[in-house]
Amino acid sequence: MKILVVDDMPLMRHVLINMLRALNFPDLVEATDGLQALAFLKNQHFDLVITDLHMPKMDGKTLLNRIRDDQKLQNIPVLMVTCEDNSAAIKEIIAAKVSGFIIKPFCLNTLDKQLKKIVPLSST
């Protein structure tokens, strides 16, 4: 399973990648914002996108909308990671057909549970 990890914070990308590797997901690609992520998505196949919500250039909600609006990408599961606690903003993201949601800070077990909900056959 190939996973695209999108976050503007290098430390958060590093933490997520280490967690994913600990969960036996070694095929990982990093993007620093939604624009870079979209470029990767157009040129490579991914089985899952894990993205932060708040990023410069293109935020996670816009990235999610662009993925859902693209016929070739629309079925890729998207897991949103955020510290957002505004219920209206969260409802907007859910309405945009996000596959899963994790509120920061989170632990390995939380990530594992979300991944199993999104891709039950792929997680161990």
Side-chain angles (χ1 to χ4, degrees):
M1 167 175 273
K2 189 170 182 179
I3 302 174
L4 178 59
V5 176
V6 190
D7 200 306
D8 60 315
M9 302 286 291
L11 181 60
M12 193 60 213
R13 284 195 315 270
H14 182 74
V15 167
L16 258 171
I17 283 169
N18 283 336
M19 286 181 166
L20 289 163
R21 285 185 179 140
L23 294 170
N24 296 315
F25 293 103
D27 196 358
L28 307 167
V29 176
E30 297 178 55
T32 57
D33 59 55
L35 284 177
Q36 186 180 39
L38 210 51
F40 285 148
L41 286 162
K42 300 249 183 210
N43 295 309
Q44 299 177 48
H45 169 79
F46 290 94
D47 301 294
L48 173 66
V49 175
I50 301 176
T51 183
D52 186 29
L53 176 58
H54 298 292
M55 297 179 290
K57 297 182 186 174
M58 181 188 291
D59 66 11
K61 183 174 181 282
T62 305
L63 175 61
L64 174 63
N65 288 332
R66 297 285 293 272
I67 290 169
R68 294 296 178 245
D69 290 342
D70 187 313
Q71 203 165 9
K72 292 179 182 171
L73 304 175
Q74 65 187 3
N75 294 321
I76 298 173
V78 177
L79 176 60
M80 190 74 64
V81 178
T82 185
C83 53
E84 181 66 62
D85 60 359
N86 178 320
S87 63
I90 292 170
K91 285 177 185 171
E92 278 183 29
I93 294 159
I94 292 168
K97 299 180 185 160
V98 74
S99 308
F101 216 94
I102 296 180
I103 304 291
K104 296 176 191 175
F106 59 92
C107 63
L108 186 66
N109 191 35
T110 303
L111 178 61
D112 188 38
K113 283 180 181 175
Q114 277 296 316
L115 290 172
K116 284 178 177 167
K117 284 180 187 173
I118 294 170
V119 282
L121 300 175
S122 301
S123 7
T124 314

